[in-house]
């Protein structure tokens, strides 16, 4: 069907006057005359000007910039980060005994930070330093809590996230304890301090940079 | 000087994290990675300078500890100027450094690496 449509016309029909193919000069003259008729308001010279100089913009393509590729190379997608970072109890050998050594290291660090055991007064200073100190490796107990099942959990802090502590207990269980509405007690060399978890909802790295102000009630 | 006083606590914290990461590394490289990323985050917040030896021991991309035996590989590429190439095994990122002596004026206290007695044998 299409082959018949697109075939050349036989010469008999070509002979008729109305289907004469135009030559290029005639075509130009035709276009000019047509335009002049359709734009009667402007002068002839203006029309000539427009026709010769201005280019008619038919379509406009803008290139899409491929900058997205670069960013992903340096960073990581959240998915990849998730499967790598977190501490999976890979071998169940993560015994409490191993982390006791980490606790020793932590004790040394805190002693060094406070310059001595308990120089009489100055609980103020020590508290201030504890706020900025790092808690990884500290032995911590949940003393008060809005949820009674959390009370009494004791263990070494392995990881500190924004809203949560990951604690390993003596029975080698990894417990995820939320900070909100919980009071933890921390003991060093006979010096006990309480951490109000609700005020501590910060990532570990951000806590060292934060100034703490007293807002609202401290209690549960 | 009054300036390093504030920093000293923070720097102690950073060095503690670094030592702790070295300590935990044989048991769980993932935990070491966590500690190193906390350290880097804290240093970034407080805009602290880390000693280049400390910086190079932590992979920039995935924050894992690079110990030439276990975490990353260390190669020397020759040429006119020999370069050390550190390659992280977990994320495959490599860094090149010129072998240079570093006579840096350590005016400020910088976090030091772990003492040799501390690491578990």
């Amino acid at each position: 069907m299409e082959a018949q449509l697109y075939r050349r016309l036989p010469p008999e029909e070509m002979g008729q006057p109305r289907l004469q193919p135009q030559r290029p000069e005639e075509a130009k003259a035709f276009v000019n005359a047509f335009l002049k008729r359709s734009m009667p308001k402007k002068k002839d010279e203006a029309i000539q000007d427009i026709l010769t100089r201005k280019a008619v913009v038919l379509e406009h393509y803008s290139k899409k910039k491929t900058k997205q590729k670069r960013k992903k190379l340096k960073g990581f997608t959240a998915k990849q980060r998730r499967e790598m970072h977190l501490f999976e109890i890979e071998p169940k050998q993560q015994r409490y005994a191993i982390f006791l050594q980490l606790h020793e290291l932590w004790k040394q660090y805190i002693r060094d930070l406070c310059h001595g055991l308990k120089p009489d007064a100055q609980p103020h200073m020590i508290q201030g330093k504890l706020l900025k100190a790092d808690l990884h490796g500290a032995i911590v107990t949940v003393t008060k809590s809005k949820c009674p099942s959390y009370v009494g959990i004791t263990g070494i802090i392995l990881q500190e996230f924004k809203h949560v502590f990951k604690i390993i207990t003596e029975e080698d269980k990894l417990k995820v304890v939320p900070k909100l509405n919980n009071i933890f007690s921390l003991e060093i060399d006979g010096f006990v301090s309480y951490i109000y978890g609700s005020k501590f909802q910060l990532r570990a790295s951000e806590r060292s940079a934060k100034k703490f102000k007293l807002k609202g009630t401290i209690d549960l | 000087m009054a300036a390093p006083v504030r920093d000293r606590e923070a720097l102690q914290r950073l060095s503690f994290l670094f030592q702790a990461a070295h300590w935990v590394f044989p048991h769980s490289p993932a935990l070491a990675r966590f500690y190193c990323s906390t350290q880097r985050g804290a240093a970034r917040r407080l805009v602290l300078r880390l000693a280049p030896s400390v910086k190079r021991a932590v992979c920039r991309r995935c924050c894992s500890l690079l110990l030439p035996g276990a975490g990353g590989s260390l190669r020397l590429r020759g040429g006119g100027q020999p370069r050390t190439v550190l390659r992280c095994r977990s994320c495959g990122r490599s860094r090149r450094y010129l072998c240079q002596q570093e006579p840096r004026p350590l005016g400020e206290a910088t976090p030091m690496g772990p003492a040799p007695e501390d690491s578990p044998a």
Side-chain angles (χ1 to χ4, degrees):
Chain A
M1 179 66 182
E2 288 172 5
Q4 287 180 359
L5 265 180
Y6 295 131
R7 248 190 317 161
R8 273 197 182 168
L9 286 175
E12 302 97 37
E13 294 178 32
M14 276 294 285
Q16 299 188 9
R18 53 189 171 163
L19 286 178
Q20 267 181 6
Q22 279 180 335
R23 272 171 274 155
E25 301 93 16
E26 290 179 354
K28 257 193 186 175
F30 174 73
V31 168
N32 277 334
F34 176 71
L35 284 172
K36 279 177 191 172
R37 249 186 278 154
S38 46
M39 295 193 291
K41 295 174 190 174
K42 295 198 176 173
K43 295 183 193 170
D44 285 349
E45 298 122 9
I47 294 175
Q48 282 298 311
D49 223 22
I50 291 173
L51 285 176
T52 45
R53 278 192 201 170
K54 279 198 179 174
V56 178
V57 181
L58 297 171
E59 283 169 344
H60 182 63
Y61 289 110
S62 56
K63 281 185 188 174
K64 285 189 181 176
K65 291 188 181 176
T66 51
K67 264 193 179 179
Q68 281 174 351
K69 256 189 184 180
R70 257 191 201 176
K71 251 193 175 180
K72 281 191 179 173
L73 240 172
K74 275 194 178 175
F76 268 139
T77 53
K79 258 192 206 174
Q80 287 167 320
R81 238 184 287 153
R82 230 183 290 149
E83 48 136 89
M84 292 197 325
H85 253 300
L86 293 179
F87 168 54
E88 305 148 3
I89 321 183
E90 297 125 1
K92 279 241 172 182
Q93 296 168 2
Q94 311 302 358
R95 270 170 239 145
Y96 191 69
I98 293 174
F99 296 110
L100 269 180
Q101 291 171 332
L102 184 65
H103 179 63
E104 292 299 315
L105 188 68
W106 183 81
K107 270 202 259 180
Q108 271 180 27
Y109 155 63
I110 292 285
R111 263 178 229 148
D112 197 19
L113 196 61
C114 303
H115 307 294
L117 294 172
K118 189 184 169 189
D120 308 326
Q122 298 183 4
H124 209 55
M125 282 286 292
I126 296 192
Q127 278 166 19
K129 294 199 175 178
L130 274 182
L131 277 180
K132 306 233 166 185
D134 200 59
L135 295 176
H136 292 114
I139 290 191
V140 125
T141 321
V142 182
T143 43
K144 290 190 200 170
S145 168
K146 265 191 181 171
C147 172
S149 56
Y150 284 129
V151 178
I153 294 183
T154 316
I156 296 184
I157 296 181
L158 285 184
Q159 283 170 312
E160 184 181 341
F161 294 101
K162 192 172 180 190
H163 301 293
V164 178
F165 280 128
K166 281 206 179 170
I167 297 184
I168 183 162
T169 59
E170 285 170 0
E171 297 142 18
D172 301 340
K173 278 196 184 170
L174 195 67
K175 292 258 178 182
V176 179
V177 177
K179 289 180 185 173
L180 192 58
N181 299 328
N182 276 330
I183 299 184
F184 300 90
S185 79
L186 197 53
E187 201 194 316
I188 323 160
D189 296 334
F191 194 78
V192 178
S193 69
Y194 293 100
I195 300 179
Y196 290 85
S198 327
K199 304 288 172 182
F200 250 49
Q201 306 237 318
L202 285 176
R203 263 184 273 159
S205 40
E206 320 224 338
R207 200 173 6 105
S208 52
K210 164 133 185 175
K211 295 184 192 171
F212 282 94
K213 296 179 192 167
L214 206 61
K215 256 194 208 174
T217 52
I218 284 193
D219 218 2
L220 261 184
Chain B
M1 288 196 288
V5 170
R6 274 298 160 84
D7 291 353
R8 190 170 295 149
E9 299 172 356
L11 286 173
Q12 272 183 320
R13 180 176 180 167
L14 292 185
S15 83
F16 164 68
L17 276 171
F18 194 58
Q19 292 179 27
H22 275 270
W23 194 287
V24 185
F25 191 62
H27 302 300
S28 156
L31 234 202
R33 206 183 281 135
F34 178 75
Y35 289 157
C36 285
S37 83
T38 319
Q39 179 202 16
R40 230 218 286 161
R44 190 182 293 164
R45 279 290 153 169
L46 297 164
V47 198
L48 293 172
R49 278 199 185 170
L50 299 172
S53 55
V54 171
K55 256 195 276 184
R56 288 175 194 184
V58 177
C59 171
R60 248 212 235 167
R61 195 188 194 192
C62 66
C63 303
S64 42
L65 251 195
L66 295 171
L67 293 174
S73 61
L74 188 69
R75 293 280 175 268
L76 285 174
R77 289 288 147 100
Q81 290 169 321
R83 292 165 173 79
T84 47
V85 182
L86 287 169
R87 205 182 152 80
C88 170
R89 246 184 239 172
S90 36
C91 70
R93 190 197 157 96
S94 53
R95 292 279 300 157
R96 295 189 344 227
Y97 301 103
L98 283 179
C99 305
Q100 263 180 4
Q101 299 292 323
E102 301 243 4
R104 260 209 170 187
L106 291 176
E108 314 157 350
T110 43
M112 308 286 287
E117 329 71 53
D118 283 346
S119 46

